[in-house]
Amino acid sequence: MARRYALLVFLTFAMALLSSMVPAESNAATATAAPPASSGAGGPPPGPPPEAIAACKGKTAGTQVSFSGRNGESFTGVCQLTNGVLAARPSGNGGPPPAR
Protein backbone atom coordinates (compact mmCIF):
# COMPACT_ATOMS: atom_id res chain seq x y z
CA MET A 1 0.00 0.00 0.00
CA ALA A 2 2.82 2.40 0.86
CA ARG A 3 4.43 1.67 -2.49
CA ARG A 4 1.25 2.70 -4.36
CA TYR A 5 1.01 5.87 -2.29
CA ALA A 6 4.65 6.74 -3.02
CA LEU A 7 4.09 6.14 -6.75
CA LEU A 8 0.98 8.34 -6.69
CA VAL A 9 2.88 11.15 -4.92
CA PHE A 10 5.76 10.84 -7.39
CA LEU A 11 3.48 10.93 -10.45
CA THR A 12 1.57 13.93 -9.07
CA PHE A 13 4.82 15.79 -8.48
CA ALA A 14 6.14 14.89 -11.94
CA MET A 15 2.93 16.05 -13.64
CA ALA A 16 3.00 19.35 -11.74
CA LEU A 17 6.62 19.89 -12.67
CA LEU A 18 6.07 19.10 -16.35
CA SER A 19 2.97 21.29 -16.61
CA SER A 20 4.88 24.24 -15.16
CA MET A 21 7.51 23.86 -17.90
CA VAL A 22 5.03 24.15 -20.79
CA PRO A 23 4.27 27.74 -21.92
CA ALA A 24 0.61 28.74 -21.67
CA GLU A 25 0.45 29.72 -25.37
CA SER A 26 1.51 26.29 -26.59
CA ASN A 27 -1.92 24.70 -26.55
CA ALA A 28 -3.67 23.91 -29.84
CA ALA A 29 -6.32 26.64 -29.52
CA THR A 30 -3.85 29.50 -29.40
CA ALA A 31 -1.44 27.92 -31.86
CA THR A 32 -4.03 28.08 -34.63
CA ALA A 33 -5.45 31.47 -33.70
CA ALA A 34 -4.53 34.49 -35.81
CA PRO A 35 -2.12 36.96 -34.29
CA PRO A 36 -3.76 40.05 -32.83
CA ALA A 37 -3.98 43.07 -35.10
CA SER A 38 -1.55 45.82 -34.29
CA SER A 39 -3.42 48.73 -32.86
CA GLY A 40 -0.79 50.81 -31.19
CA ALA A 41 2.80 51.68 -30.60
CA GLY A 42 5.32 48.92 -30.52
CA GLY A 43 3.73 46.71 -33.18
CA PRO A 44 4.13 46.72 -36.91
CA PRO A 45 2.08 49.27 -38.84
CA PRO A 46 -1.15 48.01 -40.37
CA GLY A 47 -1.01 46.87 -43.97
CA PRO A 48 -2.61 48.65 -46.88
CA PRO A 49 -6.41 48.83 -47.04
CA PRO A 50 -8.22 46.26 -49.20
CA GLU A 51 -9.25 48.98 -51.68
CA ALA A 52 -5.60 49.84 -52.37
CA ILE A 53 -4.74 46.16 -52.86
CA ALA A 54 -7.71 45.59 -55.17
CA ALA A 55 -6.72 48.58 -57.32
CA CYS A 56 -3.40 46.90 -58.14
CA LYS A 57 -4.69 43.37 -58.67
CA GLY A 58 -3.31 42.04 -61.97
CA LYS A 59 -1.00 45.05 -62.37
CA THR A 60 2.72 45.56 -61.86
CA ALA A 61 4.68 47.86 -59.57
CA GLY A 62 4.84 51.38 -60.99
CA THR A 63 1.40 51.25 -62.64
CA GLN A 64 -0.72 54.36 -62.04
CA VAL A 65 -4.22 53.61 -60.79
CA SER A 66 -7.35 55.35 -59.49
CA PHE A 67 -9.53 53.88 -56.76
CA SER A 68 -12.23 54.76 -54.26
CA GLY A 69 -11.52 54.64 -50.54
CA ARG A 70 -13.71 53.12 -47.90
CA ASN A 71 -15.65 56.37 -47.41
CA GLY A 72 -16.13 57.01 -51.14
CA GLU A 73 -13.19 59.40 -51.52
CA SER A 74 -11.25 59.20 -54.81
CA PHE A 75 -7.52 58.50 -54.92
CA THR A 76 -4.92 58.28 -57.63
CA GLY A 77 -1.66 56.58 -56.95
CA VAL A 78 1.05 54.20 -58.03
CA CYS A 79 1.20 50.47 -57.32
CA GLN A 80 4.08 49.66 -54.97
CA LEU A 81 5.31 46.36 -53.63
CA THR A 82 5.77 46.61 -49.85
CA ASN A 83 6.38 43.57 -47.62
CA GLY A 84 5.26 41.27 -50.43
CA VAL A 85 1.94 43.09 -51.00
CA LEU A 86 1.24 45.06 -54.18
CA ALA A 87 -1.00 47.99 -53.31
CA ALA A 88 -1.75 51.51 -54.51
CA ARG A 89 0.14 54.26 -52.70
CA PRO A 90 -1.86 57.46 -53.07
CA SER A 91 -0.01 60.35 -54.65
CA GLY A 92 -0.51 63.95 -53.76
CA ASN A 93 0.39 65.76 -50.57
CA GLY A 94 2.76 63.05 -49.42
CA GLY A 95 0.23 61.86 -46.88
CA PRO A 96 -0.13 58.29 -45.74
CA PRO A 97 -2.33 55.82 -47.60
CA PRO A 98 -5.99 55.78 -46.60
CA ALA A 99 -6.68 54.13 -43.25
CA ARG A 100 -8.35 50.74 -43.05
Side-chain angles (χ1 to χ4, degrees):
M1 184 72 152
R3 192 178 264 178
R4 284 185 183 175
Y5 180 71
L7 180 61
L8 179 62
V9 169
F10 173 77
L11 289 176
T12 302
F13 177 74
M15 295 277 289
L17 181 65
L18 288 175
S19 66
S20 70
M21 296 172 67
V22 177
E25 290 87 28
S26 69
N27 66 29
T30 57
T32 59
S38 175
S39 61
E51 297 84 2
I53 296 170
C56 291
K57 187 171 183 173
K59 299 186 174 52
T60 59
T63 304
Q64 290 192 329
V65 293
S66 296
F67 64 101
S68 295
R70 180 169 293 172
N71 298 321
E73 63 273 83
S74 295
F75 294 97
T76 58
V78 177
C79 294
Q80 287 185 344
L81 187 63
T82 305
N83 295 330
V85 177
L86 187 63
R89 178 93 171 179
S91 57
N93 299 332
R100 283 187 178 218

